[in-house]
Amino acid sequence: SKAKLAITVEGDLADFLGVSIDRRSDGSIHLSQPHLIDQILDDLRMNDKSTKIRSTPAASSKLLARHSNSPNFDGSFNYRSVIGKLNYLEKATRSDISYAVHQCARFVSDPKTEHGDAVRWLGRYLKGTRDKGTIMRPIAKKDLEVFVDASFCGDWDPTDAANDRDTARSRHGYIINYAGCPLLWKSQLQTEIAMSSTESEYTGLSYALRDAIPIMELLKEMKRKGYPIRTAEAKVHCRVFEDNSGALEMAKIHKYRPRTKHLNVKLHHFRDYVERGEISIHDIATQDQPADFLTKALNEDTLTKHRRKVLGW
């Protein structure tokens, strides 16, 4: 109002976002969307007590492909509408369903029986975790952290490759944290066809830093404006955790190699930040990589481990 802007009070923040924001006495913030999950379950006709629940968002034993020769989806629910609601749920509070939602969304134009079954599986998982969301527990001593993972040709299916060239694409996922709390996460198929696991991992690293660097610059500006931003050596410091040794080496040592020279223009954009020390690249064991659940369907034990680290439950 001091800047002479017209300001109106439109109610609580949750009224706009559809997100339940629960500030708890221990300083944590619980974000959840039980009402949206109820809408999804109503659409799927799964709101009765007899509906069985699942412990994972998707089956870890089989891939969801195009299934070109399978029967068409029976239309028992509005597939496109449910996917739209799942997309909003995933982006707002439920990073644990990112991979499953994105896989189902890929086939929204021509869903088959298997795709409908996959959405119902996801619905059963949401029914068992209706009141869950993202629990943010700020840790003052933690700066910006980026966790990156990739699955090299994880959707490869030789039986369907002739009908679906996307089976040759790799998938990467990343999580950007600040003060130990997730700010942004993403699971996506790569637009380029990676020629090796190193290339797929490095591509994921590059895409993750396209989102992280603007956040770093924002934090720098906030610090200059006097906001209490804690940084190392008066700089915003971003730590990227990568579990592929080849990608790690390429990010740290700026040497052009014959097999990776085609990556030069598009993917090496963050090297100046590494040279200035504003981004440091750190190794992490594959089993400790929380972004793993963004690149593939996991078994219950592995999912629970990473979900606890990212979502807090």
Side-chain angles (χ1 to χ4, degrees), residues 122-175:
L122 180 53
R124 291 187 175 94
Y125 172 73
L126 291 174
K127 184 176 179 63
T129 57
R130 174 189 177 274
D131 297 318
K132 301 296 185 180
T134 298
I135 303 174
M136 296 187 173
R137 298 184 177 91
I139 303 172
K141 294 182 179 180
K142 283 202 171 186
D143 297 322
L144 205 62
E145 295 180 327
V146 183
F147 294 88
V148 188
D149 195 23
S151 174
F152 175 56
C153 293
D155 292 339
W156 174 249
D157 181 3
T159 62
D160 209 28
N163 301 316
D164 185 10
R165 61 184 179 183
D166 286 344
T167 63
R169 299 187 188 276
S170 300
R171 177 182 292 274
H172 64 243
Y174 53 87
I175 304 166

Side-chain angles (χ1 to χ4, degrees), residues 58-71:
S60 61
S61 58
K62 56 183 178 181
L63 292 172
L64 191 64
R66 191 171 295 276
H67 300 292
S68 305
N69 298 322
S70 295

Side-chain angles (χ1 to χ4, degrees), residues 29-44:
I29 303 171
H30 187 196
L31 308 178
S32 62
Q33 294 171 280
H35 299 301
L36 179 57
I37 291 177
D38 285 342
Q39 292 178 28
I40 294 169
L41 294 176
D42 284 339
D43 291 345
L44 296 176

Side-chain angles (χ1 to χ4, degrees), residues 46-57:
M46 288 185 175
N47 247 335
D48 57 276
K49 295 181 179 179
S50 62
T51 301
K52 295 181 180 179
I53 62 173
R54 297 284 188 179
S55 57
T56 60

Side-chain angles (χ1 to χ4, degrees), residues 233-245:
E233 301 178 356
K235 291 182 180 179
V236 177
H237 188 71
C238 174
R239 289 190 294 168
V240 179
F241 294 83
E242 178 59 68
D243 65 357
N244 180 274
S245 58

Side-chain angles (χ1 to χ4, degrees), residues 192-205:
E192 306 88 355
I193 301 296
M195 305 300 289
S196 65
S197 59
T198 291
E199 185 175 337
S200 66
E201 294 273 3
Y202 195 76
T203 299
L205 180 61

